[in-house]
Every structure is written in structure tokens, then in C-alpha cells.
Amino acid sequence: MTEGTDDVDVPEFVDVAEVRGFLHTPSGPSLGSLALTHGAGGNSDAPLLVATAEAWSARGFTVLRFDLAFRQQKPSGPPHPSKADADRASIDAAVMYLRRLYGGPILLGGHSYGGRQASMLVAEQPELVDGLILMSYPLHPPGKPEKARTAHLPQLRTRTMFVHGTKDLFGSPAELSDAIALVPAHTATIEISGAGHDLSAKKYGVAGLVLERALEFFDAGSWS
């Protein structure tokens, strides 16, 4: 970590094997770690990820906001369904990078597509992380509720927090409630009134809300 001219912590760029992104480290000893990734149309510089990483780092956590495999391969455009395995592999690599760096508790978070792939990976590997934060989980494509993306949720046994806007076209609050009922793990929901799929981090103060609820839900305030 380097210091900026205004004494603001500047994240370290990371590009190692399958991991590419930015590492935020706290000024003191790290309490735990958060691996954080983006949606289908974004990258690790997405405002929601940056705001979340800065908030968690300021509270003593190491945060890696990272690019999924498809974004490492191309600067723009959506992921291809046939390459989803590679995206999940890049999530696994990011978690392992943090585990090697810091052996304490690790949370995994993702926005939209990134959260969906993270949840699918953790459904297969329940011991991979200590908890999940799924922001704007894409329950189905807009206007196509029949194409549900919930088949793996009954296998999800890791403590999971859902963050969802009430105007999200990828799933209504009622649809999210029905989906969460499929999850056998302990869950919590943060409903952002008026927010759409992007959650508009600055407008709604999402990063701060998620941090405070997560510290309690994951008992992260007691990590050391």
C-alpha cells in the first residue's frame, strides 16, 4: 500500500496468475478479508465496489476488488454462458490469494452476475468462505421470470446476506423472498427502497449500510 499526497490510502494493483484487481489494506492489523467482484457489464472499478472496498478497509478489513475471468479477457461486453466455469475459477483464485495473504476469516461478495457465480461456487464448496454478500442477485432476466436462476440455492449452506433494490427489474422483493426461502443457510436481507439493479451506491449510501449490517450478521466486528 502506498500513501497519496493527501494521506489517503491508495489500493495496490494486483495482477498475479488468475487474479487481477485492487487490494485495499487497512492502516492497522487486518481483522479479516473481503473478496469483491462485479456484474456482467462492469469491472473492478465499478463505483459500488470501490465504495464498499473503501468502507471496509477503513474499518480494518483487507479488501480485494477483482475482475472476473471474462473481463480479464476483454475490456467490455458481457460474459458468455459457455465461459462461466472460468469466471468461477477466477473467484476461487481470488479467495485463495486472500487466504495466502491473510489466514483469517474471509467473506465473498459480488454484484449481479458476479454474485450469482460466487453463490454457485460456494454452493459447490461450502467451506470456501465464511460468508456471502450478494448485491442485486439476478433472479431472472428482466421481464422473464420463467427463466429463474435459483436451481443451486437449495445447496447453498454458507451464511448469506442479500442486498436488493425495490425497483430491481431482475427480481422483485417478493420474488427475492421466495428465492431466499430455498436457501437452507442462515440469511439476512437489506432492502434498498427506490434503488434499481445498480443500487446507486452514492445516492443510497449502500456501502455503509452493508458494512454495518454485515459486521453484526457475520459477527465480523469480533474478528481478530
Side-chain angles (χ1 to χ4, degrees):
M1 181 179 66
T2 58
E3 294 290 332
T5 56
D6 295 322
D7 293 328
V8 175
D9 290 337
V10 176
E12 175 188 353
F13 178 64
V14 174
D15 191 357
V16 181
E18 296 180 79
V19 181
R20 188 183 74 186
F22 295 88
L23 185 70
H24 297 249
T25 53
S27 58
S30 182
L31 301 177
S33 301
L34 170 64
L36 192 63
T37 198
H38 56 87
N43 58 29
S44 59
D45 283 329
L48 178 61
L49 268 61
V50 173
T52 300
E54 291 177 346
W56 281 75
S57 178
R59 290 293 286 270
F61 294 85
T62 298
V63 183
L64 174 67
R65 51 182 172 90
F66 65 96
D67 288 329
L68 292 167
F70 83 91
R71 186 56 73 228
Q72 295 182 41
Q73 296 299 317
K74 56 182 182 179
S76 62
H80 194 280
S82 67
K83 304 293 185 181
D85 286 352
D87 291 328
R88 289 193 291 275
S90 66
I91 296 172
D92 186 74
V95 171
M96 291 301 103
Y97 174 83
L98 278 177
R99 194 171 297 284
R100 290 191 298 270
L101 187 70
Y102 174 79
I106 298 179
L107 298 177
L108 172 60
H111 179 241
S112 191
Y113 175 81
R116 180 189 176 200
Q117 297 306 319
S119 67
M120 293 174 72
L121 176 66
V122 174
E124 297 174 351
Q125 301 182 46
E127 304 302 321
L128 181 67
V129 293
D130 297 277
L132 276 174
I133 301 176
L134 305 180
M135 297 179 284
S136 299
Y137 185 87
L139 290 167
H140 56 70
K144 299 180 179 180
E146 71 281 2
K147 295 187 176 182
R149 297 159 171 164
T150 58
H152 67 287
L153 294 185
Q155 284 72 54
L156 188 57
R157 302 185 180 279
T158 300
R159 183 175 285 246
T160 303
M161 173 176 283
F162 291 84
V163 184
H164 211 76
T166 59
K167 294 185 178 180
D168 192 333
L169 298 180
F170 287 74
S172 68
E175 289 173 320
L176 179 64
S177 180
D178 289 342
I180 290 175
L182 301 173
V183 180
H186 191 30
T187 63
T189 305
I190 300 177
E191 190 173 280
I192 310 299
S193 181
H197 194 63
D198 65 354
L199 290 176
S200 299
K202 185 176 181 179
K203 180 178 180 180
Y204 296 102
V206 173
L209 288 173
V210 171
L211 173 61
E212 295 306 321
R213 283 292 305 277
L215 290 176
E216 177 182 357
F217 180 64
F218 298 109
D219 196 24
S222 67
W223 292 357
S224 61

